[in-house]
Amino acid sequence: MSATIIGIESSCDDTSAAVVRDGLLLSNVIASQKVHEDFGGVVPELASRAHIQNILPVVSQALAKAGVDKSELDAIAFTRGPGLLGSLLVGTSFAKGLSIGLDIPIIDVNHLHGHVLAHFVRKTNDEPVPQFPYMCLLVSGGNSQIILVKGYNDMEILGQTIDDAAGEAFDKCAKVMGLPYPGGPHIDRLAATGDPSRFKFSKPHIPELDYSFSGLKTSFLYTLRDAVKEDDAFIENNLADLAASLQRTIIEILLDKLDKAVRRHPVRHLAIGGGVSANSGVRSAVSDFCKKRGITPWIPDRAFTTDNAAMVAMAGYFKYRDSQFCDLSLPPYSRVSV
């Protein structure tokens, strides 16, 4: 079935639009918001206001880059949730208005499903994609989940965080270290030159396949607090080693549960997704993990690890083929599991 889909993403602080035709990506435009850096985190009200300013030019640019006129669109895919409600309202309202104006259907997309299906984003038919069923380690600022992906619309959560996510641990520990927001990329950069065995931080003992990162954050904070009492310049003098040790601990926590998951649910393909999947240490560790077990790893392009509309458009294309459209009356939602 031939179809041209535009995807709209506005779940947090990135406004994005992408065009997919017959499952192939034609364009992907992202407008990031720098205003949050001064506050050390995303300010929801400022995020929603920025989306209002960005969404029309971003959509227009995505169509222009794809060489597609709006009259050629067959459907509009949009992130309905989860995310910041004010931000989601902007994208949802725009998608509904465009749907009415063009008289074409809208397709609601779960933001987390988009990350899981990001590996199907491709520009040519020759590019490989994962084979169902596959396992996905979804790691981001708000979510840490192990998901058994049986189909694009059939996903089973095997384990998930009971408190904080891996990305949150990276960012909040980075903030304590005095690093700019978002802290994750700075931790990644510093860890490359640090000693990962220098510091030991507490690891959780959570049953089954669930995660927890709140205890790690507390352990990290206490380590710094006690050390700074003895040496005011401790953090500044040990940034690289602290970053490397933190990164190593988070990776070990992630892979420990992932190992248990693949033992219980053997798969031939394993993917990672979400913002933390851009981390160099995570990418390398998952590749090694798969190599030792004879599993095919799927490591996404960094362009598709953060919030982007390409994954939304791709998820929407899958749903379009099955005529899974959304009613105009459905509102966005801020929280939901996969």
Side-chain angles (χ1 to χ4, degrees), residues 12-301:
C12 191
D13 61 335
D14 287 331
T15 312
S16 183
V19 178
V20 166
R21 173 171 285 165
D22 300 337
L24 300 181
L25 182 67
L26 302 183
S27 68
N28 184 43
V29 177
I30 303 175
S32 299
Q33 302 174 6
K34 299 294 185 181
V35 65
H36 307 286
E37 293 179 1
D38 294 336
F39 300 93
V42 177
V43 181
E45 178 63 22
L46 295 180
S48 58
R49 291 183 183 185
H51 281 303
I52 293 173
Q53 295 176 329
N54 292 337
I55 192 163
L56 182 56
V58 164
V59 168
S60 297
Q61 189 177 0
L63 288 170
K65 284 192 170 184
V68 172
D69 187 83
K70 60 181 182 295
S71 62
E72 299 177 65
L73 296 174
D74 294 295
I76 304 153
F78 68 100
T79 300
R80 187 171 157 230
L84 300 176
L85 194 56
S87 295
L88 291 165
L89 277 168
V90 176
T92 299
S93 300
F94 188 91
K96 290 180 178 180
L98 191 60
S99 168
I100 294 171
L102 298 177
D103 192 26
I104 57 177
I106 54 175
I107 303 168
D108 63 318
V109 173
N110 181 314
H111 178 77
L112 304 183
H113 285 186
H115 279 302
V116 173
L117 297 172
H119 301 275
F120 290 90
V121 177
R122 52 183 180 165
K123 295 182 179 179
T124 69
N125 287 316
D126 296 331
E127 296 177 50
V129 294
Q131 301 298 308
F132 298 116
Y134 65 91
M135 192 169 293
C136 181
L137 174 63
L138 177 59
V139 277
S140 67
N143 300 277
S144 293
Q145 298 177 325
I146 300 175
I147 305 164
L148 184 60
V149 188
K150 305 172 186 176
Y152 85 88
N153 59 351
D154 186 4
M155 304 183 191
E156 178 186 355
I157 298 177
L158 304 178
Q160 60 186 333
T161 183
I162 63 172
D163 43 54
D164 300 328
E168 188 175 2
F170 271 122
D171 286 340
K172 290 192 174 180
C173 290
K175 186 175 183 179
V176 174
M177 294 166 64
L179 299 176
Y181 174 85
H186 295 285
I187 294 289
D188 191 12
R189 172 180 55 83
L190 289 166
T193 59
D195 178 2
S197 63
R198 172 80 184 283
F199 299 101
K200 304 294 183 184
F201 304 117
S202 298
K203 296 180 184 178
H205 298 282
I206 307 300
E208 296 302 317
L209 300 177
D210 288 333
Y211 286 115
S212 170
F213 290 95
S214 62
L216 169 61
K217 291 194 309 180
T218 302
S219 174
F220 187 85
L221 178 61
Y222 284 167
T223 297
L224 265 60
R225 183 198 64 180
D226 294 341
V228 169
K229 288 180 181 179
E230 304 295 329
D231 177 9
D232 290 341
F234 174 81
I235 296 177
E236 182 180 354
N237 294 333
N238 294 277
L239 276 176
D241 290 348
L242 284 167
S245 298
L246 173 66
Q247 180 168 283
R248 184 210 74 234
T249 305
I250 291 176
I251 290 172
E252 288 176 351
I253 293 171
L254 290 171
L255 295 190
D256 176 65
K257 292 302 178 80
L258 190 60
D259 180 61
K260 294 178 181 177
V262 297
R263 290 176 185 274
R264 296 183 186 181
H265 305 272
V267 290
R268 297 178 62 185
H269 297 258
L270 192 152
I272 56 174
V276 178
S277 66
N279 179 278
S280 300
V282 171
R283 296 165 76 89
S284 177
V286 170
S287 293
D288 291 342
F289 176 92
C290 290
K291 184 177 181 179
K292 292 176 181 178
R293 292 161 180 79
I295 299 173
T296 301
W298 293 90
I299 313 296
D301 290 343

Side-chain angles (χ1 to χ4, degrees), residues 319-335:
K319 298 184 74 172
Y320 180 87
R321 295 190 307 181
D322 288 344
S323 299
Q324 294 186 21
F325 304 126
C326 171
D327 190 272
L328 288 170
S329 65
L330 292 180
Y333 52 84
S334 59
R335 294 179 178 273

